Amino acid sequence: MGMTKRDFLRSIGAVAGVGATYHTMSAMGLLGPVMAQATAPELPLGSGYGKRVVILGAGISGMTAAYELSKAGYQCTILEATGRAGGRNLTVRGGDVIREVDNRQWVDFDQEDHLYANMGPARIPYHHRVILGYCKEFGVELEVFTNDNRGALFHNAEAFGGKTVTGRQVMTDLRGYVAELLAKAVNRNALDEELSGEDKEQVLAMLTAFGGLDPDHLYAGSNRSGYQGEQVHAGIAPGDVNDPLDFSELLKSDFWQYKLHFSQFLNQNPTLFQPVGGMDAIAKAFRARVGHLIQFQSVAEEIRKTSQGVRIVYEDQRRNQQGAIEADFAICTIPAPVLKDIPNDFAPETQAAIESIEFEHAVKIGFQARRRFWEEDHAIYGGISWTDQDITQIWYPSNGYHQRKGVIMGAYIWDDQPGQGLRFTQMTPPERLRTAMAEGEQIHPGYTDEIESGVSRAWLNVPFQKGGWPRNYAAPPELLEPDGAIYFAGDQATALPGWQEGAALAAHAAVAAIHARVTAS
């Protein structure tokens, strides 16, 4: 008798494990489109009947897994420690309450559709096609998120006398100076071995256009940076072009270290998007489809292996009693800083991998302004201003243009190397707001008088989260394989930490691997 596909896959699994089985199924075309094509796993209808999966966490990853598995007939239960779905996907509006370990904050924004703050993820790159695909499938309306705005401001206390300069000035003048330096190298025959005479002419022409150089290939300023008197365009009659910023001052600043090329990072490339009305539109869309599978306020207390699969012991805080659930498989999306302290039966190498993951001490602060001063006074529509102060960034809303009021992100802190994230985390909420407003004054004089209310989110202080996102830019390999019948997901199990795309991709990987295992059995 010939060997069936099922027999062949079962033998592969017995010899080389489920990972090899999954790759074999992929090579045989049994898994449908592969993950690299940014499509969800296409599991045959009914292929999961009789199999039970418990999913720990109702964030984007957990709900993605439940959605895909339940379509194939798997019986899914999501245990969520909090009373809401979405995990770090959090949008706040007037009347909401933000809870941290030691405080509660009332969100005092006016209740208008455009007045909200995304305190977790806030942008979706154009190439994050899994999340964008779910937005399309679920009917989540999108709008452009302005990430890079040449009208926004750069501030460095040690450069330009501590005064702000516009992005267009910084970008234009640095391009000009770099082009001038390269033009001088070409003219001094420093590149003779690499360039022919014709090549040199073309390079000089390119550098002249690139940097706005004069006929002598010197940089003396360019109308790309705007005109004097804070005039951006020429108007009726040509004005005087801005004097170029001093090159030594530009080098003294920290702009060039990464802020200037921030939009060149792959996940910051334009075009970026945001859901209309708040990022939680994505979480709401998932909840509308899998909400009936979620047991809220169910805190995992033990994660155990059994001969048949897994057993999860949890505290049902709604009923103030302990519960337990057994299943064939588990998908764990609990953030590593929380997961490492939950009693479990993980292999030592798995536990060590979990303990190795550190999360950023990320902090966001949202302010409601009485008027849209950034638009009215500075013609800033969306985008980000940068500062070397602890608040790091000020974000201007990419929605609600020309409305009377607006919500800006008055601080987005993620770099813990100097300790600013931890410093803000340890402050009381009122101290955070006062400090952020004082630092904002250095960018926008009169800033404090424009602010009506504010709210903060220090992710290290958030129960069942304990941090913003993994600092590791590659998941420990131990989390990419199951530990018994326990699979790991969430952005911590990908090379896209901090992005919803990573969370969804990790869910897809776990779903596909479970399906491969079930099919091979």
Side-chain angles (χ1 to χ4, degrees):
M1 295 178 61
M3 178 178 286
T4 66
K5 290 181 179 179
R6 181 180 295 274
D7 291 337
F8 174 67
L9 291 170
R10 185 182 295 115
S11 65
I12 290 289
V15 174
V18 67
T21 305
Y22 171 69
H23 291 300
T24 303
M25 291 183 69
S26 178
M28 294 172 65
L30 300 178
L31 293 181
V34 298
M35 192 169 62
Q37 294 176 278
T39 57
E42 294 184 359
L43 311 187
L45 292 176
S47 59
Y49 286 145
K51 297 297 180 180
R52 188 168 188 180
V53 182
V54 58
I55 299 168
L56 303 180
I60 296 301
S61 197
M63 290 194 290
T64 298
Y67 177 67
E68 297 299 341
L69 287 169
S70 60
K71 288 192 298 183
Y74 289 84
Q75 183 181 348
C76 297
T77 300
I78 305 176
L79 299 181
E80 168 56 41
T82 73
R84 54 175 288 274
R88 282 163 284 165
N89 179 319
L90 174 66
T91 303
V92 299
R93 303 170 181 83
D96 289 342
V97 177
I98 290 184
R99 291 175 174 83
E100 296 182 6
V101 172
D102 56 356
N103 67 72
R104 296 176 63 186
Q105 302 171 63
W106 178 267
V107 182
D108 198 23
F109 298 162
D110 293 354
Q111 295 189 9
E112 298 184 36
D113 290 344
H114 67 286
L115 298 177
Y116 63 83
N118 289 318
M119 306 303 283
R123 49 196 166 192
I124 306 172
Y126 71 92
H127 51 84
H128 284 193
R129 299 183 67 183
V130 171
I131 285 296
L132 289 175
Y134 282 123
C135 289
K136 182 176 182 179
E137 180 180 351
F138 298 161
V140 175
E141 186 178 356
L142 300 173
E143 59 192 359
V144 171
F145 175 92
T146 302
N147 204 36
D148 182 24
N149 184 339
R150 300 301 169 83
L153 305 173
F154 283 77
H155 168 262
N156 186 286
E158 301 301 322
F160 305 108
K163 295 181 179 179
T164 58
V165 290
T166 63
R168 62 179 174 271
Q169 289 178 287
V170 174
M171 302 284 186
T172 297
D173 292 349
L174 270 176
R175 285 170 66 102
Y177 288 126
V178 169
E180 178 182 320
L181 290 171
L182 289 173
K184 289 177 178 176
V186 172
N187 276 329
R188 289 175 182 169
N189 301 318
L191 303 176
D192 280 352
E193 293 183 5
E194 288 81 12
L195 301 174
S196 68
E198 184 179 351
D199 288 339
K200 287 172 63 175
E201 290 182 9
Q202 294 294 333
V203 169
L204 286 171
M206 180 272 290
L207 292 173
T208 298
F210 173 83
L213 305 183
D214 65 19
D216 295 323
H217 304 125
L218 300 176
Y219 181 68
S222 167
N223 64 359
R224 302 173 190 175
S225 72
Y227 293 81
Q228 292 186 14
E230 297 188 7
Q231 186 178 348
V232 178
H233 57 76
I236 295 175
D240 295 321
V241 173
N242 274 328
D243 293 329
L245 299 171
D246 185 79
F247 192 26
S248 63
E249 287 291 298
L250 282 171
L251 294 177
K252 185 191 299 183
S253 75
D254 67 347
F255 305 157
W256 55 268
Q257 293 177 8
Y258 69 93
K259 297 174 182 178
L260 282 176
H261 56 268
F262 184 71
S263 63
Q264 304 303 314
F265 295 140
L266 181 59
N267 288 311
Q268 304 296 342
N269 282 183
T271 302
L272 294 100
F273 300 95
Q274 64 182 13
V276 173
M279 187 59 76
D280 64 348
I282 296 174
K284 290 176 179 178
F286 271 110
R287 179 171 177 173
R289 290 156 178 82
V290 301
H292 62 290
L293 305 176
I294 304 173
Q295 293 184 20
F296 290 104
Q297 293 180 267
S298 298
V299 181
E301 293 186 327
E302 296 180 31
I303 302 172
R304 302 299 184 187
K305 301 173 185 176
T306 69
S307 59
Q308 300 300 313
V310 297
R311 183 173 189 268
I312 309 298
V313 178
Y314 63 94
E315 179 189 0
D316 185 341
Q317 295 184 334
R318 297 167 302 173
R319 299 177 176 85
N320 194 29
Q321 64 185 29
Q322 191 178 74
I325 183 170
E326 295 193 1
D328 299 286
F329 306 100
I331 299 177
C332 181
T333 75
I334 298 172
V338 178
L339 179 60
K340 69 182 180 65
D341 295 324
I342 298 176
N344 61 71
D345 292 337
F346 298 152
E349 55 269 26
T350 303
Q351 181 67 23
I354 293 167
E355 292 178 358
S356 74
I357 299 175
E358 296 183 356
F359 271 46
E360 289 283 356
H361 299 162
V363 179
K364 277 191 169 183
I365 297 176
F367 287 126
Q368 177 178 294
R370 63 181 180 85
R371 68 183 183 96
R372 300 173 78 92
F373 63 87
W374 53 95
E375 295 174 0
E376 296 173 7
D377 300 348
H378 305 284
I380 297 175
Y381 291 86
I384 299 169
S385 286
W386 292 82
T387 176
D388 63 338
Q389 302 173 100
D390 284 354
I391 58 172
T392 309
Q393 294 182 334
I394 293 178
W395 289 23
Y396 310 98
S398 297
N399 69 310
Y401 299 122
H402 291 169
Q403 295 286 339
R404 186 167 64 93
K405 297 183 180 183
V407 172
I408 61 175
M409 196 59 62
Y412 183 20
I413 305 165
W414 70 90
D415 183 3
D416 190 53
Q417 295 305 313
Q420 67 263 46
L422 187 58
R423 185 167 82 90
F424 265 82
T425 295
Q426 293 172 339
M427 293 179 184
T428 65
E431 288 173 337
R432 294 175 198 159
L433 302 186
R434 287 194 297 269
T435 303
M437 284 190 286
E439 294 191 1
E441 285 281 347
Q442 305 305 309
I443 296 130
H444 293 291
Y447 184 75
T448 302
D449 293 337
E450 302 286 0
I451 302 303
E452 291 186 325
S453 63
V455 67
S456 64
R457 185 62 148 174
W459 284 96
L460 180 63
N461 289 351
V462 177
F464 311 113
Q465 294 289 344
K466 294 187 178 181
W469 61 86
R471 291 177 183 160
N472 314 54
Y473 277 88
E478 292 81 3
L479 296 192
L480 303 181
E481 298 289 340
D483 188 339
I486 302 167
Y487 293 74
F488 298 94
D491 60 324
Q492 62 197 5
T494 73
L496 280 173
W499 295 97
Q500 295 175 103
E501 183 80 355
L505 284 171
H508 285 182
V511 167
I514 288 174
H515 178 63
R517 190 164 172 174
V518 169
T519 305
S521 62

